[in-house]
Amino acid sequence: MDIKNRHKLKQISVSWYFLIIVILAYALVFNFKKSLFFSSLNFFSNIILKIIPIFVFVFALMTLTNYLITPKFIMKYLGNQGITKWLFVIIGGILSSGPIYIWYPLMADLKNKGFSYGLIACFLYNRAIKIQLLPIAIFYFGIRYILVLTFVMVFVSVFQGILLDKLLEVKKMKTAVDSEEKILK
């Protein structure tokens, strides 16, 4: 095999290798035990039929939020005081996607513009709630469990954010008092 073909093989994504392995495994199962193959196919089709309506709803919701919520809109409402700011941070954390390290520069920028560490913690905490994974989670655990879990996660994220802000205020006040004592000595 020449260097050019080796380079082309390296460009093939790992996911394609995984798909090929799964297809080969299904082909083997079909060849040796057809009843298991059809049972598996039936289970797969039942899951897909149950999940499709939820996927359509999630896709519509994500399309709507991508169209309506812009960075300018977010900055406008994050400047507010009170519960509105927390609400937008929770919603932003839930709707955010992609790797976490992409969000760090935005969080640092917001911190420089007056965003508290508590709000950042709340945003990062709510990233654990993934809308795109809710259909699967609802399928396996039920809607009641997922609703309770989501509510607890949102509530704890706000509690954690407020607690973090209070602890940092205490630390800041203690540092200021220690500095004054050093100056007086």
Side-chain angles (χ1 to χ4, degrees):
M1 187 179 299
D2 63 346
I3 295 174
K4 197 174 186 179
N5 286 336
R6 284 184 189 167
H7 183 67
K8 284 183 180 178
L9 280 177
K10 285 182 180 178
Q11 290 178 341
I12 296 173
S13 173
V14 174
S15 57
W16 284 106
Y17 290 121
F18 180 74
L19 179 64
I20 291 168
I21 289 170
V22 169
I23 289 172
L24 289 175
Y26 270 87
L28 283 174
V29 169
F30 180 77
N31 201 22
F32 291 110
K33 196 164 186 176
K34 289 182 182 171
S35 64
L36 182 62
F37 174 80
F38 286 113
S39 171
S40 173
L41 198 62
N42 188 29
F43 179 75
F44 173 74
S45 62
N46 285 338
I47 288 177
I48 291 297
L49 289 176
K50 287 180 182 176
I51 292 176
I52 281 177
I54 300 169
F55 272 127
V56 169
F57 173 73
V58 169
F59 181 75
L61 186 66
M62 291 180 76
T63 302
L64 193 66
T65 56
N66 279 340
Y67 180 72
L68 295 177
I69 299 175
T70 62
K72 187 177 178 182
F73 176 83
I74 292 171
M75 286 306 294
K76 178 182 171 188
Y77 288 99
L78 287 179
N80 290 342
Q81 295 292 324
I83 196 164
T84 308
K85 185 185 284 188
W86 288 98
L87 198 61
F88 274 95
V89 167
I90 291 167
I91 293 170
I94 292 172
L95 295 178
S96 66
S97 61
I100 188 77
Y101 58 85
I102 289 176
W103 291 94
Y104 290 153
L106 175 65
M107 293 293 110
D109 187 44
L110 290 174
K111 176 69 183 119
N112 291 333
K113 293 176 180 171
F115 217 59
S116 72
Y117 283 117
L119 290 171
I120 292 171
C122 183
F123 177 86
L124 295 175
Y125 200 95
N126 281 295
R127 279 185 46 83
I129 302 169
K130 298 291 181 202
I131 291 179
Q132 62 271 25
L133 297 180
L134 284 180
I136 300 291
I138 289 170
F139 176 76
Y140 282 110
F141 303 113
I143 186 115
R144 194 177 338 168
Y145 173 77
I146 296 303
L147 285 175
V148 170
L149 179 68
T150 303
F151 174 77
V152 168
M153 289 176 77
V154 168
F155 177 76
V156 170
S157 72
V158 173
F159 177 73
Q160 181 185 19
I162 291 170
L163 183 65
L164 186 63
D165 281 344
K166 295 292 181 195
L167 288 173
L168 290 174
E169 277 180 30
V170 169
K171 184 179 178 185
K172 192 175 178 181
M173 288 174 38
K174 186 176 181 199
T175 305
V177 169
D178 288 345
S179 297
E180 286 180 19
E181 287 177 358
K182 284 181 182 178
I183 291 172
L184 293 175
K185 288 182 182 179

